[in-house]
Amino acid sequence: MAIKDILDQNKNIQPNTELLQTLQKAIPQYFDADGNFKADKFEAALKANNVEEVRDGYRLSFVGKDYARLQTGMESETMMVPDMEHNALPENAGSENVFITGDNLEALRHLQNAYSGKIKMIYIDPPYNTDKEFVYSDKFDFTDEKLKTALGYTDTEIARLKSIQGKSTHSAWLTFMYPRLKIAQKLLTEDGVIFVSIDDNEQANLKLLMDDVFGEGNFIANFLWKKKGTTSNVEGAQVSSLTDSTLCFRKSEKAIIKPRIKRKETRSYSKVDKEGSYRTTVIEKKDSGSYKRESMKFEILGHLPRVGKRWQMGEDKAKELENKNRFIWDGEKILLKIYDFEEKDTTSARPNLLFDHGSTDSAANMLKKLFDGKEELFDNPKPIELIRDLIEISSNSTDIILDFFAGSGTTAHAVMQLNANDGGNRKYIMVQLDEKVAPNSEAEKAGYETIDQIARERIKRAANKIRSENPLFAERGDFGFKHYRLMEPNIQTLDKIIDFDPNENKLFGDDMISPFAFDNESGLPAILQTWLIRDGYDFSTVVEKIKLADYESQYVSESATMYLINIGFSHASLKDLLNKIGKNELLVNTIIVYPYSFTFEQMRALKYNVKTNVEGQISIIERY
């Protein structure tokens, strides 16, 4: 989709646009040929299946929810600009890892085109909505008229919505999180899961919001992480919190959290008899409540269970084991012998209490060592042990991991470390706002201007450390990453895009490519990458440069799609293109053209000659 089309489309987005698009994909039989939802047909189907509408059910409401729904349906208006110098380095050129600098809502809008249903695990540590931490502020550029038209708001309701912008209120935080979680849900594979860390301030609201987005039935657990080793004095607080919550939801019932493995080799078989080495275990269990069993109170070795206890097995099984001399009376209780040859590795439900997973202090100390003793470059980083365990229990060795609040880059570090540990090939996508570091902070003194710079440097240093500690894995592991920046076209460029008349035989020339440049590079890589991701190609897609006489085009062989973006498409270029297709040297199904680089006559000649001189149908798409 072209920028001009996106601008026009976003003007007409409604709060229910995203929902209708989702429904049309899932149940197209309830839409007519014009894309209108046939509510009467859908309601009739519900009644036929005896499903009653709950008119006054419990639901989550907050100031700004309709506005958040409006944002969910919008397309990105930013450009995806490759960091050409960084991406060309040997360690990065072939990497499938990605780091995106920019607003994460815009990044998610880009990602949903190419990565919907492809992300196995998402971990995020969003701002906790304290006066100190909630620094994000989404762009709010809707006119009052747009809000009235799209949302049906009154002047009073518009004033109320505007009053929460940039404020540390529950409604502002929920409005901020809603569209991000909605798109995140789309990105997950059917067996994918998301983990969201949060403190007590918004934990209850986050649970309700995720119930709303993912469905209550897809809640897995609240993993409690012990973030501190000792209590601290907080002014006005009578109880000091030692834990943070990490809410876990799944995309569907296909998701699996790997069970805890109890390994045989960790058990001690220190006793020996003629049958072999064994360990002992108490066979009593409490005899109260739902555990009460009168039928499991009988004699073993002449002893009844102790008061308030009963055996863990039935009488027939106990007699069989007693005849095999498997019980021991230790003077107080009955023990069962368990031999080493009988046992295998077993599993049990995974606990939701995350102890021994590092702390904020241990994470800070790791960063200090990684950055050569520099302190306090990043506030309250998450420990690698925590994120690594969450990735391990929820993903496989070739999955894609996403973190769109990358912070100090712990998730990328954890992915690399886990790959080195088990030989995996997981990939990560990190997104971090180019948020300014605090003035006069240790980070600024160390030469860092933004948080994303710290994260990228942390990933590089962590990669070097892991590579040096794992020489056998170093040669085949992916320790690099591709870097992209999100850029908004300036007003002058947008004005030119809107005012451009394709029927005039004029050429903007390089002026409509160079505005999308970064660091003295041509703007072509930004236009191309933005189109690629919108066309559904992931960041690892191979793009070939095809010469058409003296003209350079870009070509994606997997779909036989050619992009014509550069200026200078001549008669010789057209002739070479037709020859290559005619001689079967080049298969082309689609040609996507940047009209600002073409005159009216050049465009007319391209369309006419492809239509009349090529066997088969080639689609030509103009993107303004």
Side-chain angles (χ1 to χ4, degrees):
M1 187 180 293
I3 295 175
K4 190 170 184 178
D5 296 330
I6 291 171
L7 293 172
D8 292 338
Q9 176 180 292
N10 282 344
K11 290 178 182 178
N12 299 314
I13 291 294
Q14 300 293 321
N16 65 347
T17 297
E18 183 271 336
L19 174 60
L20 288 174
Q21 290 171 345
T22 301
L23 289 175
Q24 193 163 19
K25 290 180 181 179
I27 47 174
Q29 65 269 32
Y30 296 108
F31 287 79
D32 63 21
D34 296 321
N36 299 310
F37 182 57
K38 303 174 74 171
D40 54 344
K41 182 179 179 182
F42 184 67
E43 186 175 358
L46 289 177
K47 289 180 179 177
N49 288 282
N50 297 316
V51 178
E52 296 182 0
E53 180 182 5
V54 181
R55 298 188 179 275
D56 297 309
Y58 177 80
R59 55 184 154 183
L60 175 66
S61 296
F62 53 90
V63 176
K65 187 173 184 180
D66 281 342
Y67 173 67
R69 292 172 61 212
L70 193 68
Q71 285 189 310
T72 303
M74 295 178 70
E75 290 279 345
S76 173
E77 296 177 5
T78 59
M79 303 294 291
M80 182 75 69
V81 184
D83 185 340
M84 301 298 289
E85 182 179 353
H86 170 91
N87 295 353
L89 295 174
E91 64 270 27
N92 303 321
S95 177
E96 296 182 56
N97 298 316
V98 174
F99 191 106
I100 300 172
T101 295
D103 178 75
N104 56 16
L105 181 54
E106 284 292 299
L108 290 168
R109 287 168 175 160
H110 281 289
L111 291 174
Q112 68 180 334
N113 295 306
Y115 286 90
S116 286
K118 294 182 180 179
I119 306 296
K120 183 61 173 292
M121 184 267 200
I122 298 174
Y123 172 80
I124 56 172
D125 184 22
Y128 285 0
N129 198 19
T130 64
D131 290 337
K132 180 180 179 182
E133 293 186 53
F134 191 31
V135 299
Y136 286 73
S137 181
D138 285 341
K139 185 173 71 171
F140 186 83
D141 56 3
F142 290 98
T143 64
D144 289 3
E145 194 60 36
K146 166 69 174 176
L147 294 173
K148 290 178 181 179
T149 302
L151 304 179
Y153 276 11
T154 64
D155 290 335
T156 301
E157 289 168 332
I158 290 172
R160 192 179 179 199
L161 173 63
K162 289 182 176 180
S163 72
I164 69 171
Q165 298 302 311
K167 303 290 180 63
S168 294
T169 65
H170 294 305
S171 287
W173 190 83
L174 289 167
T175 300
F176 166 78
M177 289 296 296
Y178 181 90
R180 289 163 170 82
L181 290 175
K182 284 289 286 185
I183 299 176
Q185 195 264 357
K186 294 181 184 179
L187 295 176
L188 287 173
T189 59
E190 285 303 304
D191 59 347
V193 297
I194 181 172
F195 295 87
V196 184
S197 288
I198 199 68
D199 68 354
D200 293 341
N201 190 50
E202 291 290 358
Q203 186 272 335
N205 288 323
L206 177 64
K207 175 60 168 63
L208 293 176
L209 181 61
M210 296 186 75
D211 283 343
D212 187 271
V213 172
F214 291 88
E216 291 182 52
N218 287 319
F219 173 65
I220 292 179
N222 178 10
F223 289 91
L224 296 174
W225 165 56
K226 187 181 179 184
K227 62 182 178 179
K228 298 178 182 178
T230 58
T231 59
S232 58
N233 293 323
V234 179
E235 186 177 353
Q238 295 181 339
V239 178
S240 178
S241 177
L242 293 179
T243 62
D244 269 352
S245 295
T246 300
L247 298 182
C248 178
F249 277 74
R250 64 190 183 186
K251 176 75 168 280
S252 75
E253 69 281 354
K254 294 180 180 179
I256 296 174
I257 297 296
K258 296 174 186 175
R260 190 177 189 179
I261 298 177
K262 297 179 179 179
R263 300 198 178 278
K264 172 185 172 181
E265 60 265 24
T266 64
R267 301 172 186 137
S268 174
Y269 301 90
S270 57
K271 301 176 177 63
V272 180
D273 64 13
K274 63 180 181 179
E275 299 294 333
S277 300
Y278 66 91
R279 65 182 180 89
T280 59
T281 183
V282 178
I283 63 168
E284 288 178 328
K285 194 170 188 176
K286 71 176 182 178
D287 185 48
S288 61
S290 61
Y291 296 101
K292 194 172 184 64
R293 299 285 190 280
E294 289 298 324
S295 62
M296 292 187 177
K297 294 180 180 178
F298 48 85
E299 288 190 356
I300 295 179
L301 299 181
H303 299 278
L304 287 169
R306 290 173 292 176
V307 176
K309 303 286 185 179
R310 51 93 171 171
W311 306 123
Q312 289 185 332
M313 65 191 73
E315 190 167 3
D316 289 344
K317 181 66 174 177
K319 286 181 178 179
E320 177 188 342
L321 291 174
E322 186 169 357
N323 291 334
K324 293 180 179 179
N325 297 316
R326 295 291 297 275
F327 293 119
I328 298 173
W329 169 250
D330 72 351
E332 182 181 355
K333 53 190 175 294
I334 300 289
L335 304 176
L336 171 67
K337 295 180 184 179
I338 299 177
Y339 291 94
D340 60 352
F341 56 80
E342 295 178 307
E343 291 200 289
K344 299 178 181 178
D345 292 344
T346 59
T347 60
S348 65
R350 183 163 294 277
N352 73 322
L353 297 176
L354 303 177
F355 294 104
D356 301 320
H357 282 68
S359 64
T360 51
D361 288 341
S362 69
N365 287 333
M366 172 181 275
L367 277 182
K368 180 179 177 181
K369 291 178 182 177
L370 205 57
F371 282 85
D372 304 322
K374 294 183 176 67
E375 297 190 47
E376 299 179 4
L377 293 181
F378 192 88
D379 292 334
N380 301 316
K382 288 292 185 290
I384 187 174
E385 299 93 332
L386 172 67
I387 312 304
R388 189 176 60 208
D389 187 63
L390 297 180
I391 295 172
E392 187 172 24
I393 67 175
S394 61
S395 70
N396 298 317
S397 61
T398 58
D399 288 328
I400 303 174
I401 313 301
L402 169 65
D403 184 345
F404 52 89
F405 288 97
S408 67
T410 303
T411 300
H413 191 164
V415 169
M416 292 187 291
Q417 183 65 70
L418 187 56
N419 282 341
N421 290 351
D422 65 10
N425 191 32
R426 301 168 188 84
K427 305 300 177 186
Y428 63 76
I429 300 176
M430 302 289 109
V431 184
Q432 176 55 43
L433 184 70
D434 49 349
E435 175 192 342
K436 297 289 185 183
V437 300
N440 301 316
S441 63
E442 293 299 319
E444 186 181 64
K445 293 174 185 177
Y448 299 102
E449 298 178 358
T450 58
I451 297 298
D452 65 291
Q453 290 178 352
I454 299 174
R456 295 200 306 276
E457 180 62 23
R458 189 257 182 92
I459 295 171
K460 295 174 188 176
R461 289 172 179 250
N464 290 334
K465 185 173 187 293
I466 294 169
R467 190 186 289 115
S468 66
E469 294 173 347
N470 300 271
L472 296 178
F473 184 71
E475 294 301 316
R476 60 185 183 86
D478 187 350
F479 293 99
F481 62 90
K482 297 282 180 58
H483 179 217
Y484 302 87
R485 297 180 177 92
L486 300 182
M487 185 183 78
E488 294 184 19
N490 59 44
I491 297 298
Q492 292 79 9
T493 302
L494 291 176
D495 287 343
K496 284 185 177 182
I497 289 172
I498 293 170
D499 295 338
F500 179 75
D501 185 353
N503 295 314
E504 295 184 16
N505 192 29
K506 65 179 181 179
L507 181 71
F508 274 123
D510 195 50
D511 284 345
M512 291 305 287
I513 295 179
S514 59
F516 305 109
F518 192 91
D519 286 349
N520 299 317
E521 292 283 348
S522 163
L524 185 144
I527 296 170
L528 178 62
Q529 184 58 64
T530 303
W531 285 4
L532 288 170
I533 200 80
R534 283 179 183 155
D535 289 340
Y537 301 111
D538 63 33
F539 290 107
S540 62
T541 298
V542 176
V543 180
E544 302 174 51
K545 295 178 180 178
I546 303 291
K547 278 285 189 177
L548 304 175
D550 293 331
Y551 183 87
E552 185 176 89
S553 68
Q554 286 70 39
Y555 178 75
V556 180
S557 61
E558 66 182 70
S559 61
T561 299
M562 174 167 281
Y563 293 89
L564 304 180
I565 300 173
N566 277 316
I567 60 171
F569 190 84
S570 63
H571 178 73
S573 306
L574 177 58
K575 183 179 179 180
D576 193 15
L577 172 62
L578 296 174
N579 284 337
K580 282 182 167 65
I581 295 173
K583 294 177 181 179
N584 293 321
E585 295 175 6
L586 185 66
L587 174 63
V588 178
N589 293 326
T590 306
I591 299 175
I592 300 177
V593 186
Y594 191 52
Y596 308 107
S597 296
F598 285 67
T599 65
F600 176 79
E601 286 300 325
Q602 287 172 333
M603 184 64 70
R604 187 193 65 80
L606 174 65
K607 291 179 179 178
Y608 176 80
N609 281 279
V610 168
K611 181 178 181 180
T612 57
N613 296 311
V614 175
E615 292 185 11
Q617 188 173 4
I618 295 178
S619 175
I620 297 180
I621 300 172
E622 300 173 60
R623 287 191 174 161
Y624 293 96

